Amino acid sequence: MPEGSVVFPKVPLIRVEGPLLIAQLLETTFLTLVNYASLVATNAARHRRVAGKDKVLLEFGLRRAQGPDGGISASKYCYLGGFDATSNVDAGRRFGIPVKGTHSHAFVSSFMGFDDIIERSLPYAEGGKICEDFVHLTQLWLSRMQGKPSLRDNFHETNPSELAAFCSYALAFPTAFQALVDTYDVLRSGIPNFCAVALALHDLGYKALGIRLDSGDLSYFSIETRKFFHLVEKEFHVVGFGKLTIVASNDINEATLDALNKQGHEVDTFGIGTHLVTCYSQPALGCVYKLVEINGHPRIKLSEDLNKVTIPCKKQCFRLYGREGVPLVDLMIGENEAPPQPGERILCRHPFVESKRAYVVPTRVEPLYKRYWSSKPGGREKLPSLEDVKKHCMQQLAAMRSDHMRALNPTPFKVSVSGNLYDFIHYLWLSEAPVGELQ
């Protein structure tokens, strides 16, 4: 199936044909490539669904990933699954994924005061002039803020070493100033210090990006921060200041996102790490690799566990769409059966449960398999770019019915077989299973 496709249990993801020994040697390679990639892309898509389309999602998981290889894979497949950027610079270099991040708490706490800043000059954004002492300009803005009655109730004295750190960062990155504001105190120090530097940058023609919250009550802090931004915009007539970006991190997961949505918040961007790349709620995906045919003879694996019974034969798979344009069922048929056609009345049967069956008249039929490797010349699909795969993934997710996609008690998506394949499965089952004897 094309990478980025929405897939369901029992429908084979990859069909491999070749000499038995070679095909068997590929088992571990295919499973290790497919299992984690599918798991983390699914996890990313779930986070995206809860966060909503309008929020920016950043992957921050490299330090918590299962080694550097796991971290690189996580960055790639989180992007495929709907994230907007990564803090993993190497993944950005390899795959062209946008790279975003902020400075660390260590950067802030490494400053003892303003004496640590040697070079204090900063050119104006449009060139021509230079501000000789940007630090002094920032201090002036902090004094102006302290002099406003509407702002005075929010803070009194701020941490000077934190302000020095913010000044230094702004001097280095005047076009990308985004401050981590919870090293000492979010509302009484971090936010006022950030605003002083942002206003100084505004004087020189630059626009700050925003702040990051990394601890505490993210709902409360984001709402209070947004109020402060709007007060600054009103007091100093800086258009757009109230809409500066608020980023939140701190062990965020699906439940956190859902809780924040219910509480109300002003977060624009979420940085998600540990729960995303380690797939904390489900750390492994159980894809398997099974023999279904050899030398033209179908094979079946039986089990006491019905979920482990394989569907024999070389198969074709199709997705049948209904009148509303949403997928109704995935249908597996034998390789030599005629493909289903739009408008045709098709009997779809559960592979193992006799009573579960339905007729479907599809408005559209989508073949699910494409050939990406062949020893024969021609007929291969060109491998798409990561951007194209991500686009395909988003389109696939958008096409699914919402009750199939909800996190709590989703409606199971129907995976069926044709009438002919159903009959053959059960014929082979009876042929291969030994008959018991009672005495």
Side-chain angles (χ1 to χ4, degrees):
M1 290 190 188
E3 193 172 20
S5 298
V6 171
V7 294
F8 298 96
K10 289 297 179 188
V11 180
L13 305 183
I14 300 175
R15 199 177 84 184
V16 182
E17 301 175 36
L20 179 60
L21 177 60
I22 296 174
Q24 194 64 62
L25 285 171
L26 290 170
E27 176 176 4
T28 300
T29 300
F30 280 145
L31 287 179
T32 195
L33 288 172
V34 169
N35 269 317
Y36 181 67
S38 302
L39 181 68
V40 76
T42 300
N43 199 25
R46 288 171 63 99
H47 280 78
R48 165 54 73 192
R49 185 170 182 82
V50 178
K53 295 179 180 179
D54 61 327
K55 301 301 178 185
V56 176
L57 296 182
L58 310 178
E59 180 268 309
F60 278 2
L62 180 58
R63 291 174 296 173
R64 307 290 168 79
Q66 285 90 343
D69 294 336
I72 289 290
S73 295
S75 297
K76 178 180 180 180
Y77 290 103
C78 286
Y79 184 67
L80 186 159
F83 273 58
D84 298 290
T86 179
S87 63
N88 184 345
V89 178
D90 193 26
R93 178 185 66 83
R94 294 184 188 211
F95 309 122
I97 301 171
V99 176
K100 292 180 184 282
T102 63
H103 60 70
S104 64
H105 291 107
F107 177 82
V108 177
S109 58
S110 68
F111 282 80
M112 300 297 292
F114 295 109
D115 291 341
D116 292 338
I117 304 175
I118 306 302
E119 178 54 56
R120 300 187 175 198
S121 64
L122 181 64
Y124 280 66
E126 295 183 359
K129 293 192 294 183
I130 293 178
C131 172
E132 296 295 343
D133 194 341
F134 180 75
V135 174
H136 179 65
L137 179 61
T138 298
Q139 291 169 319
L140 287 176
W141 270 110
L142 186 62
S143 298
R144 291 177 194 171
M145 290 168 60
Q146 288 168 328
K148 294 290 184 180
S150 63
L151 299 175
R152 194 183 299 134
D153 292 339
N154 292 278
F155 76 103
H156 298 284
E157 297 296 326
T158 65
N159 186 297
S161 65
E162 180 183 56
L163 182 59
F166 290 176
C167 286
S168 178
Y169 196 76
L171 284 164
F173 301 102
T175 61
F177 175 59
Q178 191 159 26
L180 182 55
V181 295
D182 67 333
T183 305
Y184 301 111
D185 188 289
V186 173
L187 299 178
R188 289 183 292 183
S189 182
I191 297 301
N193 279 338
F194 163 79
C195 289
V197 177
L199 289 167
L201 285 171
H202 182 266
D203 272 356
L204 307 186
Y206 299 100
K207 184 178 179 180
L209 297 182
I211 59 102
R212 176 160 72 100
L213 302 167
D214 191 47
S215 60
D217 188 331
L218 298 178
S219 173
Y220 171 73
F221 282 145
S222 67
I223 291 170
E224 291 301 309
T225 296
R226 185 69 69 199
K227 289 179 183 177
F228 197 93
F229 286 172
H230 281 300
L231 282 173
V232 170
E233 178 175 356
K234 181 179 178 181
E235 288 288 355
F236 300 111
H237 310 290
V238 182
V239 177
F241 202 95
K243 296 181 180 179
L244 291 179
T245 299
I246 298 175
V247 180
S249 50
N250 187 28
D251 273 348
I252 292 172
N253 56 26
E254 282 185 80
T256 309
L257 293 172
D258 186 52
L260 285 170
N261 288 340
K262 291 174 181 175
Q263 294 164 16
H265 65 88
E266 287 291 337
V267 178
D268 305 293
T269 300
F270 291 98
I272 308 176
T274 304
H275 289 270
L276 178 67
V277 304
T278 64
C279 301
Y280 203 85
S281 60
Q282 183 187 326
L285 187 66
C287 292
V288 295
Y289 185 86
K290 298 298 179 184
L291 178 71
V292 295
E293 186 171 304
I294 185 166
N295 295 329
H297 299 290
R299 307 304 297 152
I300 188 171
K301 175 192 174 298
L302 301 179
S303 173
E304 299 297 327
D305 184 349
L306 192 61
N307 288 328
K308 292 188 175 182
V309 176
T310 61
I311 298 176
C313 309
K314 184 193 301 184
K315 297 175 287 293
Q316 290 289 348
C317 301
F318 300 87
R319 184 158 292 167
L320 310 185
Y321 289 79
R323 287 175 298 187
E324 296 179 357
V326 296
L328 297 176
V329 62
D330 281 0
L331 176 67
M332 289 177 276
I333 67 173
E335 172 74 1
N336 296 321
E337 289 189 62
Q341 300 297 322
E344 178 186 1
R345 190 166 181 257
I346 303 163
L347 177 63
C348 298
R349 304 202 63 170
H350 187 283
F352 308 120
V353 182
E354 186 175 11
S355 61
K356 291 186 176 182
R357 53 189 180 170
Y359 283 105
V360 177
V361 181
T363 58
R364 181 163 75 91
V365 175
E366 177 189 6
L368 295 184
Y369 290 151
K370 294 185 177 182
R371 177 175 290 152
Y372 290 98
W373 177 263
S374 174
S375 59
K376 302 173 184 177
R380 299 184 204 166
E381 294 286 335
K382 183 179 179 182
L383 288 175
S385 67
L386 181 57
E387 288 293 339
D388 289 336
V389 173
K390 180 178 182 177
K391 182 179 179 181
H392 173 65
C393 180
M394 296 302 101
Q395 290 171 340
Q396 287 265 298
L397 290 167
M400 297 304 300
R401 223 170 62 196
S402 59
D403 58 313
H404 290 310
M405 306 299 289
R406 64 191 177 208
L408 185 63
N409 296 324
T411 303
F413 185 82
K414 292 178 177 61
V415 173
S416 303
V417 296
S418 65
N420 289 338
L421 185 54
Y422 174 88
D423 291 339
F424 185 76
I425 291 169
H426 291 267
Y427 164 77
L428 194 61
W429 194 329
L430 293 175
S431 299
E432 297 292 345
V435 180
E437 184 174 331
L438 302 178
Q439 296 184 5

